Amino acid sequence: MTHAKLMTLSEAIAAFVHDGCSVSLEGFTHIIPYAAAHEIIRQQKRNLTVYRMTADIVVDQLIAGDCVDELVSSFIGNSSVGSLHELRRRIEGKGPRPLRYREYSHGGMIARYLAGASGLPFYPLLSYAGSDLPKINDEIRVIESPYDGQKIYVVPPINADVAIVHAQRADAKGNVQIWGLTGIQQEVAYSAEKVIVTVEEIVDEDVITSDPNRTLLPSHVVDAVVEVPKGAHPSFVQGYYDRDGAFYRQWNDISKDPQTLQDWLEEWIHELTDHSDYVAKQGPQFWDQLASPYVPSLPVNYGSRQS
């Protein structure tokens, strides 16, 4: 049976990511959608607004690919092992093009996704009290509680044109399962107009229904599901492969020099047809060193009353 939601990565990005649109790219340390970001660079998408709580290497690459006009995030850094030099150059006005940057706290970004997923005009939170962020971000505002008159901060919703997330597995209908660090993938998906999910593997529907509590994204919220093994490298995918710490350390030197960075994009993205070429170029020995040990979860009994 053919399922319309099954696409190649090239097809999904071409169909849903358009010049000038807004894109949520989430995944906290775990299941970061690098392959999708590389395809955005490969297809030379332009003038994007990118939402990402932890703006890390994947954002540095997108900016270096001249894909991003505006970044909205709550953290900038290369996971405590270096800097994001292209991002820094753009914010400081030293790159070929400027970058608009709007900063929130992690709590503020989560609140924005919650508002977007819930159809709310704003979301309240108290954590900005004493912070300087409201002074530099005019979207963080103060209202009076209708119950006790308390002053509380509010932030607007995120409703991106498209959300892109990575996961362990899905069926062909787009029922998506995630375990390990689940983060805010569900809220991100429900807050967006369209949703692309890349997965390590497409599995039969009975695999999904046999363990329903792992289904974080049901099919009705997913517009495209793409099988992309190793699609989160250099981040990790619980149960599939480990984090590539060596690459995170190397990125500081790669991004420090603009020409070295452009050479990396050319070799590892533009000269390759798709992510399968990226995987093949690394070679089997490389992937063997990142292999995850087999540590199964204990089975549970989903039986209920006799039918």
Side-chain angles (χ1 to χ4, degrees), residues 32-203:
I32 300 171
Y34 273 93
H38 290 178
E39 187 60 31
I40 289 172
I41 297 169
R42 189 176 291 115
Q43 293 191 19
Q44 299 182 344
K45 302 297 184 180
R46 294 290 182 261
N47 311 121
L48 303 180
T49 295
V50 169
Y51 298 104
R52 175 157 175 75
M53 287 180 59
T54 53
D56 48 7
I57 289 176
V58 71
V59 171
D60 214 25
Q61 293 174 353
L62 283 163
I63 293 170
D66 283 330
C67 301
V68 184
D69 275 2
E70 182 173 3
L71 171 65
V72 183
S73 79
S74 50
F75 169 86
I76 288 177
N78 179 9
S79 303
S80 302
V81 297
S83 187
L84 304 175
H85 292 284
E86 185 64 23
L87 190 155
R88 180 169 182 168
R89 282 190 288 267
R90 300 293 177 104
I91 288 180
E92 293 178 347
K94 298 176 181 178
R97 296 174 58 204
L99 175 73
R100 296 191 301 274
Y101 177 57
R102 192 173 290 274
E103 184 177 4
Y104 287 85
S105 62
H106 277 345
M109 287 291 286
I110 292 170
R112 292 196 66 188
Y113 280 126
L114 286 167
S118 304
L120 295 172
F122 58 82
Y123 205 91
L125 66 169
L126 296 174
S127 59
Y128 284 122
S131 167
D132 285 335
L133 278 178
K135 298 177 183 177
I136 63 171
N137 185 343
D138 61 7
E139 289 184 344
I140 302 171
R141 300 178 185 175
V142 178
I143 64 170
E144 184 176 292
S145 167
Y147 298 102
D148 60 9
Q150 181 183 12
K151 302 294 184 181
I152 55 175
Y153 289 91
V154 295
V155 291
I158 290 175
N159 292 113
D161 294 312
V162 57
I164 304 175
V165 299
H166 191 72
Q168 277 97 338
R169 66 190 184 197
D171 62 22
K173 294 180 179 179
N175 294 297
V176 180
Q177 295 194 330
I178 300 174
W179 57 94
L181 291 169
T182 55
I184 55 166
Q185 310 299 77
Q186 189 175 73
E187 292 82 358
V188 169
Y190 275 99
S191 70
E193 182 68 23
K194 300 292 183 181
V195 178
I196 300 170
V197 181
T198 58
V199 295
E200 291 297 313
E201 57 178 333
I202 301 293
V203 296

